[in-house]
Each structure stands twice: as structure tokens, then as C-alpha cells.
Amino acid sequence: MRSSKTIHVISAHAEGEVGDVIVGGVAPPPGDTIWEQSRWIARDNTLRNFVLNEPRGGVFRHVNLLVPPKNPDADAAFIIMEPEDTPPMSGSNSICVATVLLDGGILPMTEPETHLTLEAPGGLVAVRAECKDGKAQRIFVQNLPSFAADLDVPLEVDGLGTLTVDTAYGGDSFVIVDATAMGLKLDTSEAHEIARMGVRITNAANKALTFRHPENPDWTHFSFCLFAGPVTRDGSDLRAGAAVAVQPGKVDRSPTGTALCARMAVLHARGQMGMDDRLTTVSIIGSEFTGRILGETTVGERPAIHPELSGRGWITGIHQHMLDPGDPWPEGYRLPDTWGAR
């Protein structure tokens, strides 16, 4: 076999959402910080296209690049590449990265718990892994500070009328709609409808509303639409369905860790969730993330929370992505049958 490029990948998923991890074959991108390196990846697009586009990738795939940490307190660093964005943070991807680092033997595992610090583009996140028999059984991630932005905002969406939405940040930016008000049960039969409707709502929000992260001037858009199911309470245990539409048109198979943190921020802002509570969100395939509020803080002048999320990850394979120098599609291709209308 001939190849002008060979990229080494350990594939994984967290509660159903694919989050592959590049462990070799790619030099660290230029930049003095992990955020600057992620901006270079986003602008350059060569690596993103190679691993995310068909025939190697697909709209279902996220890929994380391991890079040396910039912060001396971090054990490892990673850059997240999603189908359309290169975001500050991702819950499912951080779980995949932690799982690959520990189950793959890249970092040492200590049973019954391993503690490590990951450096995401948006900042440091502390990880606690429950470990048994050489497997990271459950990953707990202390996510970036999360906050509710604008609550109960009217949003006109073509074909859907005027919706009432919340906006929030949980490591990534969300427009949040009431799933019941949209007539959704949040099950697998609605996946196509959720994906297409969610992209329309996200696009409408980006045209009509404003998102600003007080401490990250580069992040000025809404990435996702969260269809939030009703919250039930049993003592301090809260539970809700969740389905997140990801650009350009797919549903997150997991409950979305950043969405969980964004929703906890909204519930806390409304006085509906405190630090003694736990919120479990359930995806359309029945997988679960659980979150809690570790404390209160501020982001700029915005009230915010310190959130923790947890879930499970599994390694699914080891791959070497190669490029034949004669391949007429060196960066792959996208078609609107799965990638959405451009």
C-alpha cells in the first residue's frame, strides 16, 4: 500500500456519540494556546476535511486531536473537530478522550479512581474516572463555567411561527426549545424531524438573536438547538429527555454533555435546581448523562455555575487513515443527502 499520509486513530463513543481520537501522525498545529491551535485547525480545514469528510468520515463523526498541553497543570490536551464547528468544549468528546487515554494505556490508570486534568480549547477541565479491571467505567468531567444567557425570548422561525426560547452556554452555545410545545416525544422515530427542525431553529437564532461569551470574543454564534423534555423530580433526582440537533443536520446520539450543563445553568437561574440536586438527561436512544452543580461563579458579569457531567465511553476500534497520492479527492467530499442543503 502506498500513502502520502497516515493518521493513527483510536475510535470511541460516549453514550452513543462517536468521538474518535487521533493519537499519531499529525504534528501539533501552530499557536501559543490550545485555543489558538484550534482556530488554526478551523481556518485551515485540511485536517478537518480529511478526517470528517467522506470517504473516511461522515456527518455522524466527531474527531479529537491529541496535542501536548500548554498549561503545566494539564496531563493532556485535545482539539475537538465536529461536523461544522471546532468548539471550545464537548462533553461527549471529553469522555471519549479520557476513555482513550486511560483504556488505551496512554496515561496510567489507577483503580478504583484515576484523576487527571485535560486542557480543552476553552480551558482546563478536571476528570475523575471510576476504574475497574483495566477499564474506565464512568467518566466525571468538571466542565467549563456555564451560564444562562437570555430567557423566554421570542424567536420567529420560518414555517414554525414564533417560538419562545432560552439561550445558554455549557461549554458550547445553545438555543433551547420546549420539546413538548413542539409536539415531540423525543424518541428515535422523530430523529429526522428533530435534526431538520433544529437546524432551522439554530439558523433563525443566529440571524435574529445575539450570543456573546463574555470572556471569549471569538465565540459569537449559536452552535446547537436543544429540544428539552419536561423535568420530573423525585426528591433531589431530576430527569428529562434531551435531543440536540447538530449542524448541518443530525441528532446527537448522546444526551450532549454541554447541553446538560447549559440546561442546569438555566434551571439554576430559574431557581429550579440547586447544588443538592442531580439532573439526568436521556437521549433518543435511551443513553444517559448525569450532572450536578458544584458551585456558583461568574463569567464576566454573568452569574454562572461550575457544572459536572458524567457518562460512559467505550473504545470501538483502531484505524489508520491513509491517503493514496493518486486519490482525486484528497480532502474527501460532502453530499447534501446526509450533510444537509448548503
Side-chain angles (χ1 to χ4, degrees):
M1 294 182 291
R2 62 177 188 171
S3 180
S4 59
K5 180 187 299 186
T6 304
I7 294 179
H8 306 275
V9 175
I10 298 179
S11 294
H13 77 89
E15 300 293 351
E17 185 74 345
V18 172
D20 291 352
V21 182
I22 297 173
V23 297
V26 177
D32 294 331
T33 65
I34 302 300
W35 180 252
E36 289 179 5
Q37 289 182 316
S38 75
R39 294 311 88 202
W40 189 92
I41 291 282
R43 289 191 303 270
D44 177 73
N45 258 334
T46 303
L47 179 62
R48 285 180 49 86
N49 289 342
F50 186 75
V51 296
L52 291 174
N53 287 357
E54 300 172 49
R56 296 166 193 85
V59 72
F60 64 92
R61 190 183 302 282
H62 299 180
V63 181
N64 303 279
L65 173 64
L66 289 183
V67 293
K70 298 291 188 178
N71 191 308
D73 294 331
D75 298 289
F78 65 109
I79 297 168
I80 310 143
M81 292 173 282
E82 295 180 344
E84 290 287 350
D85 271 323
T86 309
M89 178 55 183
S90 166
S92 64
N93 283 291
S94 64
I95 290 171
C96 287
V97 168
T99 299
V100 166
L101 288 171
L102 295 176
D103 290 7
I106 298 171
L107 291 179
M109 178 186 293
T110 301
E111 298 184 14
E113 282 192 347
T114 303
H115 294 261
L116 56 98
T117 300
L118 298 180
E119 188 173 7
L124 295 179
V125 294
V127 172
R128 173 171 61 91
E130 294 178 345
C131 302
K132 183 179 179 181
D133 298 330
K135 169 78 180 85
Q137 304 275 345
R138 189 170 191 88
I139 307 294
F140 296 78
V141 179
Q142 294 184 26
N143 193 13
L144 304 178
S146 303
F147 57 86
D150 298 316
L151 303 180
D152 297 320
V153 179
L155 176 64
E156 184 73 25
V157 182
D158 188 33
L160 298 176
T162 302
L163 310 180
T164 299
V165 305
D166 299 326
T167 63
Y169 181 84
D172 209 332
S173 41
F174 288 84
V175 55
I176 303 172
V177 298
D178 185 327
T180 301
M182 303 301 296
L184 296 171
K185 304 184 297 293
L186 301 183
D187 63 30
T188 54
S189 68
E190 299 170 330
H192 185 82
E193 181 183 5
I194 289 169
R196 299 298 179 256
M197 190 188 305
V199 167
R200 289 165 64 190
I201 294 170
T202 303
N203 291 342
N206 278 316
K207 288 180 181 178
L209 305 178
T210 300
F211 178 80
R212 292 288 184 271
H213 190 288
E215 297 176 353
N216 186 348
D218 292 336
W219 209 252
T220 59
H221 69 276
F222 296 101
S223 295
F224 306 122
C225 176
L226 164 62
F227 293 91
V231 176
T232 60
R233 177 184 282 274
D234 181 6
S236 61
D237 293 323
L238 284 66
R239 193 173 182 87
V244 170
V246 180
Q247 299 276 15
K250 60 155 272 191
V251 179
D252 195 326
R253 274 56 174 159
S254 80
T256 312
T258 50
L260 169 59
C261 296
R263 190 158 197 203
M264 288 195 294
V266 169
L267 291 171
H268 183 262
R270 289 198 166 109
Q272 297 170 349
M273 182 176 180
M275 281 176 275
D276 293 330
D277 295 326
R278 302 288 186 274
L279 173 62
T280 297
T281 48
V282 185
S283 77
I284 64 170
I285 68 168
S287 59
E288 299 180 357
F289 284 156
T290 297
R292 61 178 178 144
I293 297 171
L294 301 178
E296 298 175 345
T297 185
T298 57
V299 177
E301 296 182 353
R302 285 193 178 276
I305 62 169
H306 287 298
E308 179 190 74
L309 66 102
S310 70
R312 301 166 299 169
W314 297 269
I315 288 175
T316 60
I318 298 175
H319 304 281
Q320 290 180 316
H321 293 313
M322 305 174 74
L323 176 63
D324 188 303
D327 189 334
W329 295 280
E331 293 190 20
Y333 43 82
R334 297 186 178 194
L335 292 175
D337 58 341
T338 56
W339 282 95
R342 307 296 286 178

